[in-house]
Amino acid sequence: MSQKGSKAKPVLATVAARAGVSAPTVSKVINGRDDVAEATRVRVQEALVELGYQSPMQRRARSTGPAMVDLVIDGTNTQYSMELLTGILDCAAAEGVDVVVGNITPAKLHRANHAEWAQRMVESGRKGLILVTSELTMQQLESFQQRNISVVVIDPLNPPRNGYTSVGATNWAGGKAAAEHLIALGHRRIAFLGGPNAAECSVARLHGYLAALMGNAIASRPEYIMAGEFNKSFGLAGTRELLALDEPPTAIFAGCDATALGVLEEARRQGVRVPDDLSLVGFDGTPLTEQTLPRLTSVAQPLQEMGRAALRAVLRLTKGEALDSPHMELATELVIRDSTAPPRAG
């Protein structure tokens, strides 16, 4: 599905009318002339941003220059982000695409002036935007659409909606596979340490976990289900709370590998052995899973391929091509290692 805006491109007269000045004055501001009053210049620049005006030179650069794409990641130092980045950059090199990488927290993304951001992209010739684990409102999305900037979100925090393309994994199936593996080993007291309540990927993993419990006639226990951030700190705090219960779980399904790392550390602090006393499954399948002791059983997402798919999608959209589906899900795979075992007798 194309994300091209349907509105006509604004011309000098449109900008001039919005700013309350003449068309020649707008032209002076665009060309950097210094014979314009500062207050007038600011008013014209605001109108340019608001209307998404592109000069003929900018349009020629967009149509003839090499493709350029913005990539914005929340936490570029995580294993998850680095795997996605590797896939995107590998694909970009093969396609001859320049990628501008940025790092922004969800809070800063929400507060950002998206109209100004989109206008800067237009002025520098960047044609597409890839966001990782982010949330966009319709108003924010429209800022990019009005300037013909295509948007693809990897693992969006809010449910996919019309207007942008999303790339993710089969989170529901992955959550179900993780819980069913633990149930097959004999576990009945299985906890879930998920991501934020609003994160669509975490909700899908939770629903897969619940489906596995229900399918095996195991009642879910509210005290075993916790939501937090996709990081190690939540794994530490969540595990402390779970192990303090009168009847602690014998297994934990962590919503990401980073959270699982926190589970391992807190279990070690309390003298709880993994997997002898507590089985553990992560999610993401990052290289971290082979570096832990014991090695981590995890639901692997094809992260590098997800990155490649996102870049291919945004490039097709910038060319005005229609996608087979605006929302792509790549298959997950449960990889069994050393952190899961049957529950201890008694």
Side-chain angles (χ1 to χ4, degrees):
M1 178 178 65
S2 176
Q3 295 174 341
K4 301 295 181 184
S6 58
K7 296 183 179 180
K9 294 183 178 67
V11 296
L12 281 182
T14 311
V15 178
R18 178 63 62 90
V21 299
S22 66
T25 298
V26 175
S27 180
K28 289 180 181 180
V29 172
I30 291 172
N31 290 299
R33 295 267 296 273
D34 58 8
D35 54 342
V36 179
E38 183 60 25
T40 301
R41 182 185 306 280
V42 170
R43 199 161 66 249
V44 171
Q45 289 174 336
E46 288 175 347
L48 289 169
V49 169
E50 183 179 349
L51 293 171
Y53 175 82
Q54 300 175 47
S55 70
M57 183 179 296
Q58 290 168 352
R59 290 196 290 271
R60 284 195 297 272
R62 282 174 59 83
S63 61
T64 61
M68 296 177 67
V69 175
D70 264 13
L71 168 64
V72 178
I73 299 178
D74 171 26
T76 53
N77 61 337
T78 66
Q79 290 269 5
Y80 166 90
S81 298
M82 292 307 298
E83 287 295 295
L84 289 173
L85 181 60
T86 297
I88 291 169
L89 294 182
D90 283 350
C91 186
E95 297 286 345
V97 176
D98 291 332
V99 178
V100 180
V101 182
N103 182 17
I104 190 169
T105 65
K108 288 183 179 178
L109 178 65
H110 184 72
R111 294 193 303 268
N113 186 320
H114 290 74
E116 291 183 358
W117 178 3
Q119 187 66 18
R120 287 196 301 271
M121 289 184 64
V122 168
E123 291 170 356
S124 60
R126 303 200 293 275
K127 305 176 182 180
L129 171 64
I130 298 174
L131 291 167
V132 179
T133 59
S134 300
E135 179 177 4
L136 284 178
T137 66
M138 286 306 299
Q139 183 178 10
Q140 292 165 344
L141 179 61
E142 286 171 2
S143 296
F144 297 103
Q145 289 179 324
Q146 288 170 355
R147 293 158 179 82
N148 293 329
I149 295 173
S150 302
V151 178
V152 173
V153 183
I154 298 176
D155 272 345
L157 294 185
N158 51 332
R161 58 168 69 94
N162 292 335
Y164 71 79
T165 297
S166 67
V167 176
T170 51
N171 290 294
W172 184 90
K176 187 170 183 286
E180 285 184 336
H181 168 62
L182 294 168
I183 292 168
L185 289 172
H187 294 278
R188 294 298 180 267
R189 304 202 308 269
I190 305 169
F192 175 71
L193 295 180
N197 282 319
E200 182 73 7
C201 57
S202 183
V203 171
R205 293 167 198 173
L206 170 61
H207 288 173
Y209 153 89
L210 292 173
L213 295 186
M214 185 179 300
N216 287 274
I218 300 172
S220 62
R221 299 171 60 159
E223 67 271 25
Y224 283 177
I225 300 173
M226 301 172 62
E229 298 299 321
F230 285 126
N231 57 32
K232 178 181 175 181
S233 296
F234 175 57
L236 290 165
T239 303
R240 279 196 298 272
E241 191 169 329
L242 289 170
L243 294 181
L245 294 173
D246 291 337
E247 193 172 29
T250 63
I252 294 176
F253 170 31
C256 73
D257 291 343
T259 298
L261 187 63
V263 175
L264 280 173
E265 185 171 317
E266 184 60 27
R268 191 174 298 116
R269 284 181 188 173
Q270 298 198 30
V272 176
R273 297 169 300 170
V274 176
D276 298 343
D277 304 318
L278 179 71
S279 282
L280 175 63
V281 178
F283 202 107
D284 284 337
T286 62
L288 178 68
T289 58
E290 292 286 351
Q291 300 165 9
T292 59
L293 187 65
R295 297 182 311 144
L296 182 65
T297 295
S298 182
V299 178
Q301 298 191 78
L303 295 173
Q304 292 191 22
E305 182 54 37
M306 286 164 58
R308 287 188 283 267
L311 184 63
R312 287 192 293 263
V314 83
L315 292 178
R316 289 185 61 186
L317 290 169
T318 61
K319 297 173 184 176
E321 299 178 11
L323 303 178
D324 295 335
S325 171
H327 308 304
M328 293 170 276
E329 286 192 348
L330 281 66
T332 54
E333 178 187 6
L334 176 68
V335 181
I336 300 172
R337 297 186 179 87
D338 305 327
S339 64
T340 51
R344 188 176 58 184

